Amino acid sequence: MTTNYIDWLKKQGVQLFEAGGIYWRLYHGTLVPAQATRCFVELSQGEASALLKESKAWFLRYASKPCEEKTEWWYIICDPYKIDKFPSKIRNMIKRGNRSCSVKRISAEWLAKYGYECYFTAYNRYKNASPVREDIFHNNILKTIGSPFEYWGVFVGDLFAGYCQCIVEGNEVSTSVIKYHPEYLKYYTSYALINSMIKHYVIENNATISNGNRSIAHDTNIQDFLLKLGFRRQFCRLNVVYQPMLKLTIKTLFPLYKLINKLPDRGPVHKLQALLYQENLRRACSVR
């Protein structure tokens, strides 16, 4: 029997906190909504302070106030989808991908057994990120059996060229992981995979696909790519509430943001740059 995402997290022993009508979880020291799909929250200062005290997170982050006007924070989503409206160059790339590749649903068991090379090699394209060991990858995938996770694979002939891990909750779908083997990107594997998933979820099942919030610390350019394939920005407001000491640190360092941003983005410097970039976005949202 398939469980929903929150129940699955509970079964995995993930510590959850409750406030504002939703569950929250820790992610790299940050407290974020535990929902896998789009989530807009209104949280009082008292609720935020209580969450930080209970969780001991450095800060909590959430989205609120979805709107049509442009802001500096957004979800990347796909709902209406009209391929005939795309530029001819994009349509041709999708056609090439469909001719060169095949896309199909794959099981968690299959991905756990055969997917590590693709997963590992994909990290050759990333900065400031490292793959987990094969045994951890294997176990992480197997844990999703019987959960709302679904997997899609793209193949060039019999060669495994990429995959997407989705979390499906009713008519909302989250693309939680997307990995491509760099060697096969020349066959337009990314176009074939995303287009096939959109056809299945958006067109055939009237669902909305989300790739999450605006990226802060990663450099895969996946969201820019998705915007070319029928995704759009769902604008909203970024909210960040800090622990007092971190709030003071951010306030002190923020005037040096442009200077710090010029430093090599590695290790602790990369993390500091991400924090200050996030604060810059929060301030831009707050003035609206």
Side-chain angles (χ1 to χ4, degrees), residues 110-140:
W110 190 95
L111 182 62
K113 186 174 182 179
Y114 299 108
Y116 187 73
E117 180 186 357
C118 176
Y119 162 83
F120 182 87
T121 309
Y123 276 83
N124 291 337
R125 303 170 58 225
Y126 305 158
K127 290 168 55 180
N128 298 303
S130 302
V132 300
R133 300 193 314 266
E134 186 169 4
D135 60 319
I136 297 176
F137 170 85
H138 182 269
N139 291 334
N140 286 345

Side-chain angles (χ1 to χ4, degrees):
M1 181 178 179
T2 300
T3 61
N4 64 43
Y5 184 64
I6 295 297
D7 287 342
W8 179 78
L9 289 176
K10 291 178 180 178
K11 288 183 178 180
Q12 299 304 310
V14 175
Q15 186 177 19
L16 299 177
F17 307 88
E18 195 170 0
I22 66 167
Y23 286 100
W24 302 73
R25 64 173 297 187
L26 288 166
Y27 179 74
H28 298 311
T30 305
L31 198 65
V32 296
Q35 273 77 349
T37 53
R38 286 182 295 175
C39 180
F40 302 104
V41 188
E42 298 296 335
L43 205 61
S44 70
Q45 183 61 46
E47 288 175 314
S49 297
L51 273 174
L52 287 176
K53 183 177 180 180
E54 182 184 4
S55 67
K56 297 180 174 57
W58 283 105
F59 61 90
L60 63 86
R61 181 178 65 219
Y62 62 97
S64 65
K65 295 181 171 61
C67 59
E68 295 299 323
E69 63 176 310
K70 291 184 178 180
T71 67
E72 292 301 319
W73 195 244
W74 54 70
Y75 276 94
I76 296 292
I77 68 169
C78 181
D79 35 23
Y81 182 74
K82 296 181 180 179
I83 192 171
D84 58 312
K85 302 295 184 182
F86 291 178
S88 59
K89 181 179 179 180
I90 299 298
R91 294 200 305 271
N92 287 335
M93 288 178 175
I94 292 173
K95 290 177 182 177
R96 291 179 184 179
N98 290 338
R99 286 197 299 265
S100 303
C101 313
S102 60
V103 178
K104 59 185 178 182
R105 286 277 300 276
I106 56 177
S107 68
E109 294 91 338
W110 190 95
L111 182 62
K113 186 174 182 179
Y114 299 108
Y116 187 73
E117 180 186 357
C118 176
Y119 162 83
F120 182 87
T121 309
Y123 276 83
N124 291 337
R125 303 170 58 225
Y126 305 158
K127 290 168 55 180
N128 298 303
S130 302
V132 300
R133 300 193 314 266
E134 186 169 4
D135 60 319
I136 297 176
F137 170 85
H138 182 269
N139 291 334
N140 286 345
I141 299 297
L142 292 183
K143 286 178 183 178
T144 66
I145 296 173
S147 72
F149 289 79
E150 295 182 355
Y151 295 95
W152 293 77
V154 57
F155 299 80
V156 177
D158 294 327
L159 302 173
F160 186 48
Y163 69 94
C164 181
Q165 178 189 74
C166 299
I167 302 173
V168 182
E169 294 270 44
N171 65 346
E172 292 271 336
V173 180
S174 170
T175 55
S176 57
V177 177
I178 303 176
K179 301 295 181 190
Y180 298 110
H181 196 303
E183 184 176 339
Y184 305 117
L185 286 171
K186 60 187 176 183
Y187 297 104
Y188 301 94
T189 50
S190 55
Y191 291 86
L193 178 61
I194 298 302
N195 181 249
S196 294
M197 290 172 52
I198 289 174
K199 284 184 176 180
H200 175 77
Y201 290 118
V202 179
I203 297 177
E204 297 173 9
N205 290 282
N206 198 32
T208 296
I209 303 179
S210 169
N211 185 248
N213 291 127
R214 179 177 183 172
S215 179
I216 290 178
H218 301 294
D219 57 357
T220 63
N221 298 320
I222 180 63
Q223 294 190 342
D224 290 336
F225 172 73
L226 293 176
L227 289 171
K228 298 178 183 179
L229 289 185
F231 283 68
R232 65 180 179 87
R233 295 181 178 94
Q234 167 64 73
F235 295 105
C236 52
R237 177 180 174 181
L238 171 63
N239 301 266
V240 184
V241 184
Y242 303 101
Q243 292 281 10
M245 185 59 70
L246 181 57
K247 182 177 181 179
L248 178 60
T249 302
I250 294 293
K251 184 178 180 180
T252 301
L253 292 178
F254 190 77
L256 303 174
Y257 169 53
K258 291 184 179 179
L259 178 62
I260 293 173
N261 211 36
K262 294 180 180 179
L263 298 175
D265 61 338
R266 295 188 293 272
V269 173
H270 172 70
K271 294 179 180 179
L272 177 58
Q273 289 171 336
L275 274 174
L276 295 179
Y277 178 51
Q278 174 182 264
E279 175 63 10
N280 188 50
L281 298 177
R282 186 199 69 80
R283 294 187 180 197
C285 289
S286 296
V287 300
R288 307 192 72 85

